[in-house]
Amino acid sequence: MAAVKLKIMALLLAGCSSSSGIMPNIYLLNIGYNDGIVYATSSSSIVNSNLPQVLGNFVGKTNFEVRIGYFALCTHVPPESWLCSPNATTLAERLAAVEDPLNILNVAETFRQKIVFPYLLVTSAGLAFVVFLLTMPYPPLLKTVSIGLCFVSVVLVLISVLWQHTASVAASTVVTNLGEGTLFTGVGLTSMVLGWMSFGLLTVSLMGIYLFVRINSVISHNVG
Ligand SMILES: *[C@@H]1O[C@H](CO)[C@@H](O)[C@H](O)[C@H]1NC(C)=O
């Protein structure tokens, strides 16, 4: 199970880093154009009700989409295939102004650089790996240290996943509203599931190690 959990965390961090396989589907947030359609927005707090139409005419017909991973972005102009890179400049060079009239690639890159923070998750995965090495042998080495490291790893992954979740939902809501019906956004379901699964599995590991150590100390106490 320890190996599964490390693989899940690695997959989450590697999201969008390659155009092949499922990588473009592991993203925190996606932003795209509605292909010339302007979805009606209605709210009594809208002051300028002409804006959706004006913006719709300006945007025109494009279905460009960008997805944001921890370390890279993926872009896509259907029906072309995905193009992923950690370097947003490379991606921008391949696009025309009519494909991305509102500069959502830049919005995506800003979100990735300023809001997405992968290093808590990286640290957590590192600690989980150390715990994995310590608990491999029988009996486990440095039991108290293992429990402590595992606890820190659980807390870091929890902060990281909450951060990822909150930031993505917030950005998604704001971008959809500013797009006035010309943009769609979404929170990456696969990333959320992977993030919360890492948290769940690490918590189970923590309880497992703790119980194992407790039970063994009770047994050795009774035998001794
Ligand atoms: C990104 O790519 C551009 C050209 O495509 C290059 O000039 C730039 O140095 C690259 N940036 C990084 C950080 O690799």
Side-chain angles (χ1 to χ4, degrees), residues 86-162:
N87 185 338
T89 315
T90 317
L91 295 170
E93 278 166 359
R94 291 166 174 258
L95 289 166
V98 289
E99 287 172 318
D100 187 10
L102 297 179
N103 293 331
I104 60 172
L105 177 65
N106 186 52
V107 172
E109 175 63 1
T110 310
F111 176 78
R112 197 188 66 76
Q113 281 184 347
K114 301 215 163 143
I115 299 172
V116 173
F117 188 76
Y119 301 105
L120 286 180
L121 201 57
V122 172
T123 312
S124 178
L127 291 178
F129 183 65
V130 173
V131 173
F132 171 66
L133 293 182
L134 290 176
T135 51
M136 278 275 276
Y138 184 87
L141 307 165
L142 306 170
K143 297 178 193 91
T144 320
V145 175
S146 298
I147 293 173
L149 289 181
C150 198
F151 179 73
V152 175
S153 178
V154 169
V155 171
L156 289 184
V157 89
L158 177 63
I159 296 172
S160 179
V161 174
L162 275 177

Side-chain angles (χ1 to χ4, degrees), residues 8-31:
I8 289 176
M9 288 163 113
L11 206 56
L12 179 57
L13 285 167
C16 282
S17 62
S18 135
S19 340
S20 59
I22 59 163
M23 283 308 169
N25 291 327
I26 304 175
Y27 57 91
L28 302 174
L29 176 71
N30 66 343
I31 311 173

Side-chain angles (χ1 to χ4, degrees), residues 157-203:
V157 89
L158 177 63
I159 296 172
S160 179
V161 174
L162 275 177
W163 182 331
Q164 161 192 329
H165 202 144
T166 319
S168 305
V169 171
S172 164
T173 311
V174 172
V175 169
T176 312
N177 272 285
L178 282 174
E180 298 287 337
T182 63
L183 297 175
F184 68 85
T185 58
V187 169
L189 186 65
T190 315
S191 289
M192 287 305 160
V193 171
L194 290 177
W196 287 109
M197 258 169 76
S198 317
F199 171 68
L201 290 177
L202 266 172
T203 309

